[in-house]
Amino acid sequence: MGKITLGGILTSGVVVMLIWFFYAVPELSTSPEVFEVSAENIGMIQIADDIGSPLSDPIKMVFVWNGNVVERIGNEIKMQTSYTYRDILTDEILWETTLDETVDATTRKYIDKPGHFMFPSDLEQKNYQVYDVGGSVLNYNFVGVTEIEGLEVYEFSGETTFEVSYIYPDFDVPIYEDYSATNFIEPKTGIEVSFTERFTDYAIIDNQKVPILDAWDGPSEFSQKILVQKAETQKRIHDLYHNVVPVIIAIGTLAIAIIVYSKAKVETKSKEIVELKQTETRKDEFSSMIAHELKTPLVPIKSYLDMIISGKIGQLTPQQIEKLEIVRSSAESLNKLIDDLSDVQKLDTGNMKMHREINSLSDIINETVIKLEPDFNKKGIKINLQLNHVGCFCDKSRISQVVLNLLTNSIDFTPSSDGEIIISLSKEGKFAKLFVEDNGSGIPEDKLEHIFQKYYQVDSSLRREYGGTGLGLSITKGIVDMHGGTITVESKVGEFTRFTIMLPLNDRESQISQTPKIES
């Protein structure tokens, strides 16, 4: 295994950040959910029977706008958009049309004509060409910033005139339409949350506009709420992708860099005892501070992720949930790392508290095995339990941590094809004897004496897949020592590794003993 350097860690962090911003983040703004829309407006329409006839009394109508992704090939999205106007009382279709359009997913521009199919994400306060209305892409002017149901939106307005003679085949003169619209757009996502429109169809007779249709409509309350909720959900995900995840990546990179840096400092000063102790003291104080400072922002980050994934603040697609689950798993790994740093500092300073009582060691082991069952199954590892009922005066959570550390180690270094882990528990005099044995890659004999040292990692010729921080076994030994027990290790490269723990069954006097410092 090559030497891990601080520069290598920081470079890796930068690479991960770049991959996130140039791959994952663009995927958010090009997902089909962003392009698809279903909206409903309510309005009035007046229609003349013939050119020059008076307009009818206003008829209440409903306008339904549906946009669906039909196909996606690479960066091109094929959209089918339908516009339907109905008499709200009779359900008679007053007018409808369907458009098939091809859009660039990244820019949201039409492939075969100028302008945008929809407003782009990260809107600027400027004018845009958006929406094909009767073969004419509308020129929208930026009006200002406002709010709809507490959501900040940008207001745009546009108008155009185009010929609509094809809609009136019975008339022998050209018919034109004056169309205007006001749209309200959430600026980060480019999602439309509300719009109003007005259109007047007319003929020009003796240089005068003679109206044959006049209509106007605005959003229904229900439709607007749905569109606002969609925009709010996408905005939260947008903020998560742009802000929260990069913070997690940065914190993870910083934490790993700190560990590598601390380990390098210890190795560099190992020959000078006095200077080593001073370095240890500074490192422990630094680790304690870092663990606290990293833990503080991580708690709300995890909570925020849990709320997003649970759907409490908006529904997600399976693809988005899958990616956020990866982020949550990384956050949990970072949390485990911080807990290890905190435990090391507590053991070194004698501040780790024990809450001991009589507990069943076999129950503790069984509970831990059940917790790790998915990991055993994933690698196809066989578990051989040889447990006797043994009660012990101990701290249940800390002994669970010991068993978890040993089993996690065995899982990491046990082969997938024919892996086996043996867990044995028995009484031996006044002690409980627990051993965990695996048929993994083993530990070289010259490395065994260092295995419980902080930050120590075995660099075997097998090039183990799993690294870690080198804190787990040192914490395990510290907890066993605090219980007045012992832990030893036996191993043969390529055959097995066995950890044996001896714990006093009812050693109440050890409860008041001082906390031993773990090995450095």
Side-chain angles (χ1 to χ4, degrees), residues 25-303:
V25 171
E27 186 176 335
L28 169 67
S29 60
T30 62
S31 65
E33 291 76 15
V34 174
F35 288 85
E36 293 186 332
V37 65
S38 181
E40 177 185 270
N41 276 17
I42 303 296
M44 295 289 184
I45 187 169
Q46 296 175 277
I47 305 172
D49 292 331
D50 202 350
I51 298 175
S53 299
L55 294 174
S56 67
D57 292 333
I59 301 170
K60 196 169 186 180
M61 69 170 183
V62 58
F63 164 54
V64 179
W65 168 28
N66 287 312
N68 297 294
V69 175
V70 177
E71 183 181 18
R72 178 166 184 172
I73 303 176
N75 210 40
E76 290 188 8
I77 291 181
K78 295 186 181 299
M79 295 293 305
Q80 186 173 82
T81 308
S82 64
Y83 305 94
T84 304
Y85 295 84
R86 294 177 181 270
D87 186 318
I88 204 168
L89 296 178
T90 66
D91 205 36
E92 176 189 356
I93 295 177
L94 303 173
W95 182 76
E96 65 177 344
T97 188
T98 300
L99 299 177
D100 293 315
E101 299 166 304
T102 305
V103 182
D104 184 299
T106 302
T107 63
R108 301 183 181 177
K109 290 183 176 181
Y110 291 112
I111 296 294
D112 53 357
K113 53 189 169 185
H116 291 81
F117 170 78
M118 63 182 292
F119 282 90
S121 58
D122 297 312
L123 272 180
E124 299 179 51
Q125 297 181 1
K126 66 176 188 179
N127 301 337
Y128 288 91
Q129 271 193 311
V130 193
Y131 303 134
D132 183 349
V133 181
S136 174
V137 178
L138 211 57
N139 290 311
Y140 275 98
N141 298 315
F142 174 73
V143 177
V145 181
T146 185
E147 283 190 2
I148 294 180
E149 297 187 19
L151 180 69
E152 182 181 281
V153 293
Y154 285 3
E155 180 180 349
F156 293 87
S157 66
E159 57 184 30
T160 187
T161 299
F162 50 91
E163 187 174 347
V164 291
S165 299
Y166 67 95
I167 300 177
Y168 302 94
D170 295 335
F171 296 160
D172 56 3
V173 296
I175 306 298
Y176 301 93
E177 180 172 295
D178 287 344
Y179 181 88
S180 63
T182 300
N183 301 62
F184 299 89
I185 313 297
E186 196 290 307
K188 287 188 177 181
T189 62
I191 292 177
E192 183 169 300
V193 301
S194 181
F195 73 96
T196 61
E197 61 178 356
R198 185 176 190 113
F199 48 97
T200 302
D201 295 354
Y202 58 89
I204 298 179
I205 306 296
D206 297 331
N207 292 323
Q208 298 291 323
K209 291 182 179 181
V210 179
I212 58 174
L213 180 147
D214 190 29
W216 60 96
D217 58 74
S220 69
E221 183 178 355
F222 176 76
S223 177
Q224 182 170 279
K225 283 184 179 295
I226 294 298
L227 293 175
V228 168
Q229 288 175 2
K230 175 184 177 181
E232 287 176 334
T233 298
Q234 290 295 323
K235 181 175 179 288
R236 290 189 188 100
I237 298 173
H238 180 282
D239 291 339
L240 180 68
Y241 272 48
H242 284 80
N243 302 321
V244 178
V245 174
V247 169
I248 292 175
I249 294 173
I251 290 175
T253 303
L254 176 62
I256 296 172
I258 290 169
I259 293 170
V260 172
Y261 174 77
S262 300
K263 180 179 177 181
K265 292 292 289 183
V266 171
E267 291 175 347
T268 302
K269 303 297 181 180
S270 60
K271 294 182 180 180
E272 303 176 27
I273 297 177
V274 174
E275 191 170 350
L276 175 60
K277 289 182 178 179
Q278 294 174 345
T279 302
E280 281 285 315
T281 301
R282 290 195 298 268
K283 179 169 60 60
D284 288 338
E285 292 173 350
F286 185 61
S287 296
S288 177
M289 178 192 69
I290 289 297
H292 179 269
E293 294 301 321
L294 291 180
K295 192 84 170 182
T296 300
L298 192 60
V299 171
I301 288 173
K302 288 178 63 183
S303 298

Side-chain angles (χ1 to χ4, degrees), residues 399-450:
I399 295 301
S400 295
Q401 184 179 357
V402 166
V403 177
L404 183 67
N405 282 347
L406 294 180
L407 290 180
T408 302
N409 248 26
S410 292
I411 292 170
D412 286 348
F413 305 135
T414 298
S416 299
S417 56
D418 58 346
E420 181 180 14
I421 298 175
I422 301 172
I423 308 170
S424 173
L425 174 65
S426 61
K427 283 185 180 179
E428 194 166 293
K430 295 183 178 181
F431 291 85
K433 181 179 180 181
L434 164 66
F435 76 75
V436 176
E437 178 178 334
D438 64 70
N439 62 343
S441 52
I443 304 169
E445 187 175 351
D446 61 333
K447 307 293 185 182
L448 291 176
E449 62 179 314
H450 306 293

Side-chain angles (χ1 to χ4, degrees), residues 9-10 18 116 232 248 334 518:
I9 294 295
L10 295 176
L18 291 174
H116 291 81
E232 287 176 334
I248 292 175
L334 178 58
I518 60 179

Side-chain angles (χ1 to χ4, degrees), residues 347-407:
L347 286 165
D348 270 347
T349 59
N351 289 326
M352 180 175 280
K353 304 298 181 183
M354 288 287 164
H355 305 284
R356 293 198 270 187
E357 56 187 1
I358 297 297
N359 289 287
S360 169
L361 291 179
S362 56
D363 287 349
I364 292 174
I365 293 169
N366 278 319
E367 289 171 7
T368 307
V369 168
I370 291 172
K371 185 186 301 183
L372 292 174
E373 190 172 1
D375 299 299
F376 295 136
N377 294 338
K378 184 178 180 181
K379 292 191 68 174
I381 296 173
K382 178 183 176 183
I383 302 301
N384 186 345
L385 294 177
Q386 303 171 4
L387 307 181
N388 293 301
H389 179 72
V390 180
C392 180
F393 189 66
C394 64
D395 184 315
K396 181 178 180 180
S397 65
R398 290 300 180 183
I399 295 301
S400 295
Q401 184 179 357
V402 166
V403 177
L404 183 67
N405 282 347
L406 294 180
L407 290 180

